[in-house]
Amino acid sequence: MSETTATSKELLARPVLKSAISKAARRLMPMLVILYIVSFLDRTNVGFAEAALGADKGVSAGAFALGAGIFFIGYAIFEIPSNLLLKKVGAKIWLARIAITWGIVSACFAFVQGETSFVILRFLLGVTEAGLFPGVIMYLAEWFPNKVRVQMFAIFYLAQPFSQMIGNPLSGWLINIGDQVPGLRGWQVMFFVEGLLAVLAGIAAFFFLINGPEKAKFLSKDEKYALKEVMALEDTVKDEHGPRGILAAMRNGRVWYFTIIYFCLQIAVYGVTFFLPQQVSSLTGQKVGLAVGLLIAVPWFFGIFSCYFIGKAANTVAKRRTFGTILFISTGLCIFGSAWAGTNHQPVLGMIFITLAVCSFLAVGPVVWAYPTAFLAGSAAAAGIGLINSLGNLGGFVAPILRTAVNEATQSPTGSMGVYALGVLPFVAAAMMFATKRFKNKADDLLD
């Protein structure tokens, strides 16, 4: 056992450090979860408006797919600059700014007039939201040691199921209520109200977030020292054995390796999420609205448990590799299963497969992010994490276009062929995750 490893284990075992981590989690995680809940809601609520936008504003299926995906182009272009600015001005100001500006853009969807304005607003939504997710990942990597980091990522990821559990019924309810308002359509009310929620969340973030342990008044002097000491030890190892600086991070092979893995994951996530309201509607024969919104909440409810408990259990390199490989395989198989159930008119089986797919891809996300945050620090972390998230999220651009293109090419009456196409990529990610056993990372000594 090396001296560095022994020192790390001694630090992690200290009660004062455990107290600091516990206090930091209680103070920071609720606000970060709220931000991501609203973020995920505002980028996916467009699925509830698909049919209405076509009927009311003439937005075709092709234009809808382009608009759903082009969000990620703006997101990708401004992701790294946003992350670097966050590093410079601090999370307190920058995350608040992100939420307020994307909330304003999201509310403007209530005034869409046709295909052009719809696509432009989707692009602007990506531009304004760029940097939120990788910024939080980097922020958590500065606050929490590697041993507990996947657990914190998993808590942050709980925003996705909570967003869908709360957001889908909320979106359906707002559409139903909005349809009763003279001169307005339900989808307009949905976009405006949910955009306003992001603005309010951004204002709250400014008051709740802290720009580092040294500025945390809720920690005692000893707790601050203990947390800064263990984080400094990890950063030293990263600096010695990982890429240094922005350009080095962007050229690093491991950064690009995890970019591909994350791209495959996002293909699965958004391929399912964007079309989930219509898929459940087709499976059950019910119109998109409150009833469908409640049904969609079921997979995300079970996803809460898989995300949290796997995140808590994945506290060694071997466990992270095993969980990651199995969960990617499960994601692909369950996406295939949901397509088969739709083709064969099996709504119960369809919902089961969708639920298992959601549980799998939710739980694997935090595991994936544990790897790059274990060897990236400083400006390299800002650039590397931004690159992985920005290019990986292009899977969200590719997914709806790929699904629509495959369905049109195969003339699939149920749309199942497009779903099958999306289910292939998680198997690629599973093979790559398993192959990480060949990676050698000095930071792993601190973990295991």
Side-chain angles (χ1 to χ4, degrees):
M1 182 183 296
S2 68
E3 183 180 348
T4 300
T5 305
T7 303
S8 174
K9 289 185 176 181
E10 290 172 3
L11 290 173
L12 289 168
R14 292 172 61 188
V16 67
L17 178 61
K18 294 181 179 180
S19 173
I21 291 171
S22 178
K23 286 184 179 180
R26 289 197 302 268
R27 171 59 187 262
L28 303 175
M29 296 311 300
M31 188 69 251
L32 296 174
V33 168
I34 289 171
L35 281 176
Y36 198 35
I37 284 175
V38 182
S39 163
F40 208 78
L41 175 63
D42 281 343
R43 71 169 72 173
T44 59
N45 60 7
V46 68
F48 275 86
E50 180 181 3
L53 285 168
D56 295 345
K57 300 298 179 180
V59 178
S60 65
F64 179 83
L66 175 61
I70 204 170
F71 166 93
F72 296 97
I73 299 297
Y75 197 88
I77 292 172
F78 290 91
E79 191 88 313
I80 294 175
S82 179
N83 234 27
L84 293 172
L85 283 169
L86 183 146
K87 188 73 177 175
K88 184 175 182 178
V89 306
K92 181 183 181 70
I93 293 175
W94 199 246
L95 293 179
R97 191 285 304 166
I98 290 172
I100 292 169
T101 53
W102 105 59
I104 293 170
V105 172
S106 183
C108 288
F109 275 86
F111 310 105
V112 164
Q113 296 300 310
E115 293 182 346
T116 301
S117 57
F118 172 73
V119 172
I120 289 174
L121 281 174
R122 284 293 296 180
F123 177 78
L124 290 176
L125 187 64
V127 170
T128 52
E129 195 186 319
L132 175 73
F133 183 88
V136 172
I137 292 296
M138 185 171 65
Y139 182 62
L140 292 176
E142 293 173 349
W143 268 93
F144 297 100
N146 194 7
K147 189 73 174 177
V148 299
R149 198 170 297 150
V150 172
Q151 185 178 356
M152 296 304 146
F153 290 163
I155 293 173
F156 178 55
Y157 259 73
L158 292 180
Q160 290 190 29
F162 277 122
S163 173
Q164 301 306 305
M165 284 176 57
I166 299 168
N168 284 319
L170 174 64
S171 295
W173 180 73
L174 287 172
I175 287 174
N176 289 349
I177 294 296
D179 281 336
Q180 311 304 315
V181 178
L184 292 177
R185 300 289 290 166
W187 59 269
Q188 292 176 304
V189 173
M190 176 194 71
F191 280 127
F192 189 82
V193 171
E194 291 176 356
L196 184 61
L197 289 177
V199 174
L200 296 176
I203 295 171
F206 179 79
F207 294 99
F208 279 92
L209 297 181
I210 310 294
N211 284 338
E214 66 280 357
K215 296 183 179 180
K217 294 181 180 180
F218 59 87
L219 296 178
S220 69
K221 184 178 179 180
D222 288 343
E223 288 168 338
K224 288 181 184 180
Y225 180 79
L227 191 54
K228 288 165 62 178
E229 188 178 16
V230 73
M231 298 309 296
L233 174 60
E234 292 189 2
D235 285 345
T236 298
V237 175
K238 293 177 188 178
D239 285 337
E240 290 177 353
H241 302 281
R244 293 184 180 182
I246 297 171
L247 293 179
M250 297 180 71
R251 291 194 301 262
N252 186 269
R254 284 182 294 171
V255 169
W256 285 95
Y257 190 89
F258 288 104
T259 298
I260 296 172
I261 292 177
Y262 197 61
F263 175 84
C264 294
L265 173 60
Q266 296 305 85
I267 286 276
V269 171
Y270 288 105
V272 172
T273 305
F274 276 140
F275 296 92
L276 196 52
Q278 294 301 324
Q279 189 171 359
V280 172
S281 175
S282 177
L283 277 170
T284 60
Q286 298 187 67
K287 181 182 177 182
V288 173
L290 179 58
V292 168
L294 290 171
L295 281 173
I296 294 172
V298 173
W300 300 99
F301 172 77
F302 287 101
I304 291 173
F305 299 98
S306 69
C307 188
Y308 178 76
F309 287 110
I310 290 175
K312 189 174 183 179
N315 57 4
T316 70
V317 174
K319 288 180 181 179
R320 290 172 183 179
R321 182 172 60 247
T322 301
F323 278 127
T325 303
I326 292 173
L327 289 168
F328 271 123
I329 292 172
S330 174
T331 298
L333 289 175
C334 291
I335 290 176
F336 284 169
S338 70
W340 175 87
T343 302
N344 292 276
H345 308 291
Q346 299 287 335
V348 175
L349 281 176
M351 287 300 301
I352 290 174
F353 281 123
I354 289 172
T355 298
L356 292 174
V358 170
C359 288
S360 299
F361 68 59
L362 270 179
V364 80
V367 175
V368 171
W369 279 112
Y371 285 84
T373 57
F375 66 86
L376 294 170
S379 60
I385 292 171
L387 180 67
I388 293 169
N389 195 64
S390 61
L391 296 186
N393 262 304
L394 290 178
F397 174 76
V398 173
I401 295 175
L402 173 63
R403 178 169 171 164
T404 301
V406 171
N407 284 335
E408 290 178 353
T410 59
Q411 298 183 342
S412 175
T414 61
S416 60
M417 295 306 297
V419 180
Y420 281 124
L422 299 175
V424 173
L425 276 298
F427 291 103
V428 175
M432 295 181 69
M433 183 63 73
F434 182 75
T436 59
K437 65 190 302 183
R438 297 181 178 274
F439 287 6
K440 299 298 181 183
N441 182 15
K442 285 290 184 180
D444 293 345
D445 293 338
L446 303 181
L447 182 61
D448 290 339

